[in-house]
Amino acid sequence: MNQHPEYLLNKIKSPADLKVLSLDEMKQVAGEIRHLIIEKDAAVGGHLGPDLGIVELTIAYHYVFNAPGDKIVWDVSHQTYPHKMLTGRAYAWLDPEAYGKVTPYTDPEESPYDYYAIGHTSTSIALATGMAKARDLLGGSEKIMAVIGDGSLTGGLAYEGLNNAATEKGNLVIVINDNQWSIDKNVGGLPVALKKLRDTNGEASDNLFKAMGFDYRYVADGNSLEAMIAAFQDVKDVDHPVVLHVNTLKGKGYEPALANEEAHHWVSPFNLEDDSPKHPAPALTPKKVAVQTIAEAIDRGQENLLAINAAIPGAFNLDGFKEQYPDHYLDVGIAEQESVALAAGFVKAGGRAILFENSTFLQRAFDQLSHDVALNNLPVVMLVGGGGIQANSKTHVGVFDQVMISNLPNWQYLAPTTLAEEKAMINWAIQQKAGPVAIKLPVWPVDEKGSTLEGYQHIHYQKWRAGQGAAILSLGDTFNLGLKAAEELNASLYNPLSANTLDTDCLDHLARHYSVIITLENNVLDGGFGQKVASYLADQPVLVKSFGEKREYTDVDQSLAEILNRNHLTAEQIVNDVKQLLSSKN
Amino acid sequence: MNQHPEYLLNKIKSPADLKVLSLDEMKQVAGEIRHLIIEKDAAVGGHLGPDLGIVELTIAYHYVFNAPGDKIVWDVSHQTYPHKMLTGRAYAWLDPEAYGKVTPYTDPEESPYDYYAIGHTSTSIALATGMAKARDLLGGSEKIMAVIGDGSLTGGLAYEGLNNAATEKGNLVIVINDNQWSIDKNVGGLPVALKKLRDTNGEASDNLFKAMGFDYRYVADGNSLEAMIAAFQDVKDVDHPVVLHVNTLKGKGYEPALANEEAHHWVSPFNLEDDSPKHPAPALTPKKVAVQTIAEAIDRGQENLLAINAAIPGAFNLDGFKEQYPDHYLDVGIAEQESVALAAGFVKAGGRAILFENSTFLQRAFDQLSHDVALNNLPVVMLVGGGGIQANSKTHVGVFDQVMISNLPNWQYLAPTTLAEEKAMINWAIQQKAGPVAIKLPVWPVDEKGSTLEGYQHIHYQKWRAGQGAAILSLGDTFNLGLKAAEELNASLYNPLSANTLDTDCLDHLARHYSVIITLENNVLDGGFGQKVASYLADQPVLVKSFGEKREYTDVDQSLAEILNRNHLTAEQIVNDVKQLLSSKN
């Protein structure tokens, strides 16, 4: 039920309804939007600070420009709640029963006002420039805008985008939404450049945008609706590329967000009275174990360790670590290419780098994983979070990092089945010198039934259950699933430890003693572990069947259970499939 | 035999021998180095312009600094012939019999003065910053330098590198070797910024390096040995990051290179008398067919086409095209992420983008191939050059693009077997709207025995030879190899067309009618076509064997024949392996 039937927002079905409002009415709408963001986030979680900071900019955009004919590309698109509310989707904030009906990122399948499914940073300038080039070639006249946060500007693609946007021949406006934050505090030389500009009301002598040839303009208070409307009216009809640098306040309107920006970039459900989380964090998680293991190694005297992270320490529980071990922590900004190449340099010069990377964002660093790390066979250690099948936004799926890393030479890609095994693998990885090691941190619930492996050394498949007929190889997260299926089938169960180093002695042995070999992995099947096993055994008579995810993007409209079911990743389906195979063999 | 026993270079076994020379003697060495670069390149080909331009800078470096204790990272490392000659490797230029004994890029396996195998651009600042961080943590005092060309600065990682280097706490010198070129002429806003600085002797008011907080210094004549020595002496002992902007002349000392820089970035063997190539270019190549096909489509009236390229038009025979169809050509600089994301934007706004990408450099764009193109299922067309097994430098292997693209959702990855098939596939791809299409341009010799496929529509395996016992699926370049093996075995031969869309009806049929199925591909096996076929058929009794490359980096010390032989990619080996399998089955 609509909780705010009195809100002006109820009357805004599209930007046309906004354009007839008075300035005061639009300010009232701004207040309503802020209230709704906080109210819904408190109930179900979501991005908070970025959306609170961009309310006036969004209202001004839809007041001045004519979407969807005029086109706006929102970088990352995690700040588009106000945009969604003004383009016919306010019901998903007004009515708690409709909270799930609008997705967290822009999506052209959801609205004609959205042009792309976007969830990764730094792409907006390139996308907008491409749209401008098409307009120029096809003879259109629409206005094109990219809105990019200062945090996203630390990613290299943003700069490649600026380099090419600078020479665009027609209308193109790049709004720098400068709120002085990535997810964590911004790092490096860029914040220095932006601060000089803010401190001088845009007049600083060394202006990197002007240096590249841009028409540069500055708005000191991007949370002033009047100022934003005036700024947009000024640039609306330009015939050349403009950088519009706008100073905004991330978290504006919610005091706790202003007091602690990083913790309020994205929030889990919280209590409105005191900002406390509704669901306390679990005591022990794979990420906490990882950080703890590194800290213990430093405490034991391994002084050459450096934990490297690309702007998301909170996502890895690194906040305490960075306070306690400042010399052993480096945040490179939202810049995964940099994180991996810098780690290569650090290791080459005698240090031990431990990268904390999020699977989906790590995609930006493929070339560095190959050219800088693998080709030079440097013993970089990388802990991958968020890798595996989850009920995520389609913009953030984490099923491709294993494909990209495990098919490269020299990389060892490990997937622990328990926290104890994870710890043993990390402790081994930070000591060994054979080459680069990636460790996929569990994302499905793990328990301690499995391995308490100590002193991990090399890939030797571990037998966890003796059975007959079928042997199941359960990689990483799928251990419990494999155990359940094995018990029901009275099959044997093995822990293969690695996604890309096959224990061929063991596989040959299994091929001789079982009719059917099963592989399970928490990953897309294509380019995965199962295809390697199937291919290795394909010239032997044993049958092999691999379970994993189909090659597709899943989205928030599907629960994890639904996704798993559709991919035959339940014990019941596996048991049935294996029984069929066994009977075909006999 | 040493062709220049009188050269001073003969006495320089290490930089120590350089340090005792007079300025005049060092200038003589500079002349010798230039002569040797031209002489060897004329005989065997190699990078020319970049090396001719950096002679004085290199001599000055080794005169002022103390390598290998002090460390220098050469971006791309295609300009390190002078460095190699000064660090004990001049014999590979003095003696034609030793021409092959030194590799074209830096390589720590070759010399303690080289720290990384490097062949991709824009990584040097990140690598150097990593080395500086390790030095700081471990308490060292060595000086760290990165040398990066202005062309490499258009790549986003260079900027991520600058962003982090700017806040380094100790000694770190970044030399911008500004010769005003990428491989083609530089594009975008960055050249504007650098030109302003050159035009003002480094004094321009909008200085992007100063904006980021760097101590910035300018050398107007980077080909003056005195000026470079003075500049390096000035920065040698700094305790903070410095950008040293050096203006040099690419191709200095070879008139034809000055007259046509792009054509002399890298050269095939040429005649010293008149700069003419020793081996004329073949009339028809897969790349020429690709460009011609796009030109014909525009001529037929498909006005929405845009050929997009990342700074290597020459490598794709696009030089004529860009003159003839300037509205349909865009060079984004060395910036593959930008090329792919911009293509997504262009297609979204109604254009048809055709990307011309080099397999090894395309690795930089993995995230855009997934997040921007595949997730949004935009019908971008991508032509991949240099994809496949070749006797290349290990820094430039092209066997991973198929793995990264073909395992993503929505991408169709096609591999033509003939030029006619390539043309049909391109013509289909630029019309269809189903989703993104990659086409792997042949790199092995193709003849026209195979497909003259017209009106390519969908994946339906084509039977090219009827036989029995074994069926061979020969993907793309491997068609002729498969045909030879099939004839010898009296096996059937199929052309599967696609690396990632399986014709499952056909595979099921084959499984019923043959004992053994063979896959051939010009690619690494892991994550490739063969593993998909093997995995699909693994729960059926038919045996499958896949031929392709092992997961490893190959290098210039191996001929293509050696690499193929080691991977059982000769007709004789395939025939033997298949015979063995057939007899095991009976």
Side-chain angles (χ1 to χ4, degrees), chain A residues 3-131:
Chain A
Q3 289 196 304
H4 305 282
E6 77 289 5
Y7 271 17
L8 268 176
L9 257 179
N10 289 289
K11 295 185 185 159
I12 300 176
K13 300 300 179 198
S14 83
D17 300 323
L18 181 75
K19 289 177 198 289
V20 299
L21 299 187
S22 69
L23 194 66
D24 279 347
E25 286 171 324
M26 284 194 281
K27 288 184 180 175
Q28 186 182 328
V29 169
E32 293 172 6
I33 290 174
R34 283 210 167 79
H35 186 92
L36 289 172
I37 292 169
I38 297 167
E39 188 171 81
K40 179 173 171 180
D41 275 6
V44 297
H47 282 97
L48 185 61
D51 289 273
L52 291 174
I54 206 161
V55 175
E56 287 77 14
L57 188 157
T58 308
I59 293 174
Y61 175 80
H62 283 299
Y63 180 74
V64 174
F65 287 85
N66 298 304
D70 290 339
K71 293 180 171 61
I72 184 166
V73 186
W74 300 94
D75 205 85
V76 203
S77 88
H78 65 314
Q79 75 290 53
T80 52
Y81 300 167
H83 165 75
K84 293 196 173 207
M85 291 190 220
L86 297 174
T87 54
R89 290 169 276 181
Y91 64 92
W93 277 264
L94 290 160
D95 178 359
E97 285 162 35
Y99 276 175
K101 293 197 172 156
V102 163
T103 62
Y105 300 93
T106 56
D107 188 349
E109 291 177 15
E110 185 177 285
S111 166
Y113 293 89
D114 297 356
Y115 309 99
Y116 305 93
I118 298 183
H120 290 192
T121 61
S122 314
T123 70
S124 60
I125 304 174
L127 291 170
T129 305
M131 294 173 109

Side-chain angles (χ1 to χ4, degrees), chain A residues 135-421:
Chain A
R135 175 201 59 201
D136 299 347
L137 186 63
L138 303 175
S141 61
E142 68 272 23
K143 317 298 182 192
I144 312 279
M145 180 179 287
V147 178
I148 184 166
D150 52 323
S152 294
L153 276 187
T154 61
L157 175 52
Y159 162 82
E160 295 180 3
L162 284 172
N163 189 45
N164 280 282
T167 52
E168 161 59 25
K169 298 282 188 293
N171 170 284
L172 179 61
V173 177
I174 296 161
V175 176
I176 312 284
N177 174 33
D178 183 358
N179 63 28
Q180 295 125 74
W181 286 87
S182 291
I183 295 175
D184 201 2
K185 199 78 189 161
N186 277 336
V187 295
L190 178 80
V192 173
L194 294 177
K195 182 171 192 308
K196 282 184 208 163
L197 288 168
R198 290 195 309 273
D199 288 350
T200 58
N201 199 33
E203 305 289 336
S205 64
D206 290 309
N207 181 317
L208 62 93
F209 306 108
K210 283 189 185 174
M212 294 176 90
F214 281 103
D215 176 357
Y216 168 89
R217 307 176 188 199
Y218 181 71
V219 180
D221 183 2
N223 294 109
S224 154
L225 189 56
E226 293 92 327
M228 281 314 305
I229 289 173
F232 280 150
Q233 282 169 336
D234 271 356
V235 298
K236 186 181 177 209
D237 296 316
V238 294
D239 62 358
H240 59 271
V242 173
V243 164
L244 183 65
H245 180 186
V246 179
N247 182 30
T248 63
L249 185 60
K250 190 171 181 176
K252 183 179 169 76
Y254 187 62
E255 283 305 322
L258 297 174
N260 184 350
E261 295 277 11
E262 190 206 340
H264 292 84
H265 174 82
W266 185 91
V267 292
S268 296
F270 60 94
N271 297 303
L272 278 167
E273 314 81 64
D274 60 358
D275 194 55
S276 62
K278 282 188 176 157
H279 316 295
L284 211 56
T285 66
K287 288 171 176 177
K288 286 183 180 170
V289 167
V291 175
Q292 194 181 24
T293 305
I294 302 301
E296 286 168 4
I298 297 169
D299 290 345
R300 279 198 308 271
Q302 192 170 351
E303 280 295 329
N304 63 352
L305 292 174
L306 184 68
I308 301 176
N309 178 255
I312 45 172
F316 279 101
N317 291 104
L318 279 163
D319 289 313
F321 180 91
K322 74 182 183 182
E323 303 301 329
Q324 206 179 337
Y325 303 93
D327 292 344
H328 299 279
Y329 176 79
L330 181 68
D331 180 349
V332 297
I334 301 180
E336 286 76 10
Q337 297 187 87
E338 170 80 5
S339 67
V340 175
L342 189 148
F346 189 82
V347 167
K348 183 70 195 181
R352 303 296 306 230
I354 301 102
L355 287 157
F356 287 76
E357 302 280 2
N358 202 334
S359 170
T360 193
F361 304 140
L362 182 58
Q363 294 178 180
R364 287 192 281 258
F366 181 73
D367 189 44
Q368 290 68 48
L369 295 169
S370 174
H371 174 266
D372 299 286
V373 175
L375 173 61
N376 288 284
N377 201 23
L378 295 167
V380 166
V381 177
M382 184 160 64
L383 308 178
V384 182
I389 306 166
Q390 296 169 92
N392 265 354
S393 167
K394 61 186 172 184
T395 52
H396 287 73
V397 295
V399 291
F400 303 122
D401 79 87
Q402 182 186 316
V403 181
M404 77 178 173
I405 304 164
S406 68
N407 290 310
L408 285 173
N410 295 339
W411 276 97
Q412 177 66 274
Y413 193 104
L414 301 175
T417 60
T418 64
L419 298 181
E421 200 172 87

Side-chain angles (χ1 to χ4, degrees), chain B residues 308-553:
Chain B
I308 302 175
N309 178 254
I312 46 173
F316 279 101
N317 291 104
L318 279 163
D319 288 312
F321 180 91
K322 75 181 183 183
E323 302 301 328
Q324 205 179 339
Y325 304 92
D327 293 343
H328 299 279
Y329 177 78
L330 182 67
D331 179 351
V332 298
I334 301 179
E336 286 75 11
Q337 297 186 86
E338 170 79 5
S339 68
V340 175
L342 189 148
F346 189 83
V347 168
K348 182 71 195 180
R352 303 297 306 230
I354 301 102
L355 288 158
F356 288 76
E357 302 280 3
N358 202 334
S359 170
T360 194
F361 304 141
L362 183 58
Q363 293 177 182
R364 288 192 280 259
F366 181 72
D367 190 43
Q368 289 69 47
L369 295 170
S370 174
H371 174 267
D372 299 285
V373 175
L375 173 61
N376 288 283
N377 201 25
L378 295 166
V380 167
V381 177
M382 184 161 64
L383 308 178
V384 182
I389 307 167
Q390 296 167 92
N392 265 354
S393 167
K394 61 185 172 183
T395 53
H396 287 73
V397 295
V399 291
F400 302 122
D401 79 86
Q402 182 185 315
V403 181
M404 77 178 174
I405 303 164
S406 69
N407 290 310
L408 284 172
N410 296 338
W411 276 96
Q412 177 65 273
Y413 192 104
L414 301 175
T417 60
T418 64
L419 298 181
E421 199 172 270
E422 175 196 328
K423 186 163 192 156
M425 285 173 171
I426 294 174
N427 274 324
W428 167 79
I430 61 175
Q431 295 291 343
Q432 59 83 40
K433 292 181 176 170
V437 176
I439 300 174
K440 183 174 188 157
L441 302 181
V443 296
W444 289 355
V446 290
D447 58 40
E448 297 307 309
K449 259 186 270 181
S451 171
T452 53
L453 181 73
E454 276 177 40
Y456 167 80
Q457 292 287 347
H458 62 281
I459 297 305
H460 177 74
Y461 288 0
Q462 302 178 296
K463 188 167 187 170
W464 277 97
R465 187 185 189 283
Q468 50 194 354
I472 300 179
L473 306 177
S474 265
L475 183 67
D477 280 358
T478 65
F479 185 80
N480 289 332
L481 177 63
L483 184 60
K484 209 167 157 190
E487 284 169 351
E488 204 141 325
L489 286 161
N490 190 26
S492 290
L493 178 70
Y494 285 79
N495 171 6
L497 300 164
S498 165
N500 64 345
T501 301
L502 301 186
D503 180 349
T504 53
D505 288 345
C506 180
L507 288 175
D508 290 339
H509 171 85
L510 298 181
R512 285 192 301 271
H513 291 87
Y514 296 86
S515 310
V516 171
I517 293 173
I518 299 301
T519 69
L520 306 183
E521 66 193 298
N522 183 4
N523 197 60
V524 74
L525 277 169
D526 277 273
F529 166 67
Q531 291 195 342
K532 289 187 203 312
V533 172
S535 176
Y536 177 74
L537 293 172
D539 60 359
Q540 301 187 40
V542 66
L543 300 187
V544 181
K545 190 163 175 69
S546 297
F547 292 83
E549 196 182 24
K550 290 185 196 75
R551 183 159 63 94
E552 63 186 17
Y553 295 100

